[in-house]
Amino acid sequence: MLSASSSPTAASSPAQGTSSVCPLPAAGTYLDSVRSSCHRLVCQSTGNVKIDDAALDAFISNIPTTTWKEVASKPPQALRMPLRFDTLEQEMTLVALTAYLSFGYAWRADLMKELDRDEIDTVRFGIMSMHISSVSLTSAYLSTLSLPDASSLFSIPISKDVQHPTLPLTVSEHHPLRPYVAQLVTDTNALGVRLLDMRCGSLGHFVVDRSKDGNVDALLEAVVNVFGDGASGDRGRCDGVDAYAFRRAQNVVRQVQARLACVKGHSFGISDAEVGTGTTALADPDLVEVLVDRGVIVVDVVGGGGERGATDGDDGQMAVLRLRLRAAAVEAVEKSVQKLKGKEGLDGVDARVVEEVVRAAQSKEARSVKGNVDVAKIFGDKQCTFY
């Protein structure tokens, strides 16, 4: 087994746009820290993001009990690709890397316009292309993935030809999607370097090794500490509260456990019923949007200048608002779990189940602009890689 002491410590740099540094949680408390910190942040009297309990009660009560039971009775959907793998570690490298690189909400509109794929399908396409192209996804390869290679494999342009303003010729300039590709490369390179520092040959070996005892919190801690800022940086201090979300890291944990639970002939201490148990809601803009649209999450902008106060401001103010909104999404799901568990036949409901049902209720209409809250605008920072 890989030595815990060989795991590099995640940098305690400020989260992207957060107000100040906050430390990583103590060992063995990562998931509890996400829950408790989100609860404290929502309950702050100084906070401008609240949960409307009456609206939450109405929302979950309007969903039939049969729906909750049906979702709770099914194992989580494991990430599957129509590919052949030589080893389990090879497959788990693709699963974990796909889950980790599934970010880019702010790039979604640009990706759909250029590629007709959202950020999730774009990453899946790229990772599958790597495998089909017989790329060996070793730690060394991840550490040296180049911008041109990523552009080719993910089929995302990084340059474009434009007409010269005065001469009868075309010149090349950076494509608007180039920074997105650069983010993918930066996170992949950083992950590869950390794995090499641990003398770990592949990402698949790392996640399989750290999953053997089935301990969700331990796996999350390992992912946060090894995968780089996209995992470890998803935290921030807000009005004295050290708040944590770890969305990308928890997504890796869920996907890895869901796939390993399906592997025959291997024992990882994980059953279908346990997959995802313990993880919190994955706090991303889509989840926030549903809860805002349903009036569950309410933003109070008294003295903030109406809509401008809710969607504009300097980088620090907007980072705090995003952190509060994401904390409210986690807390709303936790409250829903507690309310539902008190009902007959719903003991199997957990955060994953509630999150899945809530996401299914997302409006297919235009993006939410309820009252003074434009979720798409609030989370439009293209430099943020937490969601």
Side-chain angles (χ1 to χ4, degrees), residues 91 160 259 305 348 378:
E91 180 179 6
K160 63 177 181 177
R259 185 66 195 100
I378 291 171

Side-chain angles (χ1 to χ4, degrees), residues 23 26 44-45 57 67 119 154 205-206 216 224 245 256 265 275 359 371:
Q44 270 189 339
S45 59
D57 287 340
T67 299
E119 70 277 17
F154 286 79
H205 174 71
F206 171 79
V216 179
V224 167
V256 165
V275 174
R359 290 184 187 277

Side-chain angles (χ1 to χ4, degrees), residues 85-287:
F85 300 99
D86 296 329
T87 65
L88 175 62
E89 290 184 2
Q90 183 184 52
E91 180 179 6
M92 295 313 301
T93 293
L94 268 70
V95 169
L97 189 60
T98 301
Y100 184 57
L101 294 182
S102 293
F103 67 88
Y105 170 88
W107 293 98
R108 183 178 296 171
D110 302 272
L111 291 167
M112 290 298 298
K113 180 180 179 181
E114 184 70 30
L115 309 175
D116 197 28
R117 298 193 301 264
D118 65 13
E119 70 277 17
I120 307 301
D121 286 339
T122 295
V123 167
R124 189 171 301 181
F125 175 90
I127 302 300
M128 289 176 63
S129 295
M130 290 178 174
H131 185 75
I132 292 171
S133 302
S134 298
V135 172
S136 180
L137 293 178
T138 62
S139 300
Y141 177 83
L142 297 182
S143 71
T144 58
L145 177 67
S146 67
L147 189 69
D149 284 347
S151 172
S152 176
L153 289 164
F154 286 79
S155 192
I156 308 173
I158 56 176
S159 62
K160 63 177 181 177
D161 293 332
V162 297
Q163 182 65 42
H164 191 279
T166 59
L167 300 175
L169 52 83
T170 59
V171 295
S172 180
E173 67 177 29
H174 287 177
H175 193 278
L177 286 172
R178 187 186 185 95
Y180 169 69
V181 183
Q183 288 174 343
L184 293 174
V185 171
T186 296
D187 280 15
T188 301
N189 291 164
L191 174 57
V193 169
R194 285 171 176 267
L195 290 169
L196 288 174
D197 287 344
M198 296 175 61
R199 299 181 180 179
C200 185
S202 73
L203 175 58
H205 174 71
F206 171 79
V207 295
V208 169
D209 181 82
R210 293 303 176 92
S211 299
K212 286 181 178 177
D213 64 0
N215 187 313
V216 179
D217 200 88
L219 178 56
L220 176 62
E221 181 178 342
V223 170
V224 167
N225 279 276
V226 172
F227 275 51
D229 188 62
S232 64
D234 196 4
R235 66 193 198 275
R237 180 167 294 158
C238 181
D239 291 338
V241 175
D242 290 338
Y244 309 90
F246 299 144
R247 187 203 70 84
R248 287 173 63 185
Q250 290 199 71
N251 190 35
V252 172
V253 169
R254 281 194 189 179
Q255 292 297 339
V256 165
Q257 288 206 318
R259 185 66 195 100
L260 291 180
C262 302
V263 177
K264 296 181 178 179
H266 292 270
S267 175
F268 297 96
I270 309 166
S271 67
D272 285 348
E274 293 172 324
V275 174
T277 300
T279 58
T280 71
L282 305 183
D284 61 26
D286 289 320
L287 184 62

